[in-house]
Amino acid sequence: MANIEITNVAKTYPGNPPVRALDNVDLSIREGEFVALLGPSGCGKSTLLNILAGFEANTEGEVRFDGGPITKPAPERAVVFQEAALFPWLTVFHNVNFGRRLQGSTRMNYEPEVNAMLDMVGLTDFRHAYPSQLSGGMRQRVGIARALVMQPRALLMDEPFGALDAQTRLTMQELLLSIWQKHKTTVVFVTHDIDEAVLLADRICVMSARPAHIAREIDIKLARP
Ligand code: ADP
Ligand code: ADP
């Protein structure tokens, strides 16, 4: 069964004039698949990702996750943004630990899980540091650890490496691939960088504006040796 099922989805932002951000979007994403949403700025990629996250409601059509409608954010669909949006007054450890508590658990301390995630993203030595003491790449690694500690079924990433320099971006892309190969979490990855989409994804969904829809799909996995 498909993990994410998007059927005939449209989104119109109210306004004068209203903005038709998505039109007639159909997309089916299988469990464990790594899908890139590729397209120029303003074509509706973030809008689609925000609908999958439950931050925005679609105005037409249906969006289902594991067969059920998406109505609000949930830890099973963790989000990583372009800027990691960390709490500046919390250490690296507590930023990641807080992600786990967002699940609504009464357990206050997830030390073993948090430490395992910090180890995975290479930040064990920085667990007591504050976000302002970290580089951009390191902050994004905290954001990824905070999302993964929730053991999400799907990881929704909105240009997560877009603000990083080229060298750091490459390091982060390799890190993300190694994590994905280990966890096989479904990933939906928004980018306007075609090289990044080709490097990371099993399948590229090319979005185009006017009307904002998925113009074509390219199966990368079939093309790989
Ligand atoms: P992308 O992520 O591909 O750059 P977006 O999903 O951010 O595209 O935006 C798609 C279109 O919807 C753009 O024309 C943008 O200006 C518009 N838009 C996005 N968010 C809002 C909003 N909250 N209110 C009104 N218009 C919006
Ligand atoms: P990135 O963050 O993703 O890999 P950087 O080039 O910014 O790339 O950092 C490379 C290394 O330099 C880090 O892994 C860390 O060991 C060290 N480093 C970066 N920023 C700091 C800092 N503020 N304090 C101490 N060490 C740092």
Side-chain angles (χ1 to χ4, degrees):
M1 186 179 71
N3 196 204
I4 297 172
E5 198 72 60
I6 299 167
T7 317
N8 206 7
V9 158
K11 170 75 179 179
T12 303
Y13 290 106
N16 194 12
V19 177
R20 186 85 165 163
L22 294 174
D23 193 73
N24 215 341
V25 173
D26 284 296
L27 180 61
S28 174
I29 300 174
R30 290 183 302 278
E31 178 111 50
E33 202 175 10
F34 196 133
V35 168
L37 293 179
L38 176 70
S41 183
C43 74
K45 304 182 297 296
S46 296
T47 298
L48 185 55
L49 201 81
N50 287 340
I51 289 171
L52 296 178
F55 298 146
E56 293 274 3
N58 43 308
T59 41
E60 290 165 42
E62 268 197 343
V63 187
R64 294 188 164 267
F65 184 79
D66 282 342
I70 292 174
T71 54
K72 58 180 192 315
E76 64 187 13
R77 289 172 275 114
V79 183
V80 178
F81 301 97
Q82 180 165 357
E83 302 288 344
L86 305 177
F87 295 107
W89 58 87
L90 295 181
T91 62
V92 164
F93 176 89
H94 288 288
N95 264 287
V96 177
N97 190 46
F98 188 77
R100 200 71 158 84
R101 285 173 56 193
L102 290 174
Q103 271 186 96
S105 166
T106 51
R107 196 175 137 201
M108 293 296 280
N109 194 343
Y110 284 88
E111 191 159 0
E113 292 92 336
V114 171
N115 286 339
M117 287 304 150
L118 290 179
D119 186 43
M120 190 169 68
V121 299
L123 285 180
T124 298
D125 291 346
F126 290 86
R127 59 201 292 273
H128 300 303
Y130 288 87
S132 64
Q133 300 172 294
L134 305 178
S135 68
M138 293 162 87
R139 281 201 289 272
Q140 280 310 78
R141 285 192 259 158
V142 178
I144 291 171
R146 183 181 55 185
L148 286 174
V149 88
M150 297 198 267
Q151 298 178 325
R153 303 277 315 283
L155 197 54
L156 308 175
M157 310 187 88
D158 194 350
E159 307 227 20
F161 311 141
L164 304 176
D165 62 84
Q167 186 56 49
T168 306
R169 194 182 315 144
L170 198 60
T171 307
M172 296 297 292
Q173 288 165 340
E174 284 165 359
L175 175 70
L176 176 61
L177 272 184
S178 73
I179 290 171
W180 177 72
Q181 275 151 9
K182 211 177 298 169
H183 288 248
K184 290 294 179 197
T185 309
T186 306
V187 179
V188 184
F189 190 102
V190 163
T191 183
H192 62 254
D193 178 349
I194 187 164
D195 292 338
E196 182 167 65
V198 169
L199 178 72
L200 294 176
D202 286 337
R203 182 154 57 108
I204 301 176
C205 299
V206 184
M207 295 187 65
S208 60
R210 282 180 293 275
H213 69 300
I214 293 171
R216 62 196 300 201
E217 295 187 21
I218 304 167
D219 209 325
I220 298 290
K221 212 198 264 170
L222 291 177
R224 277 187 182 140

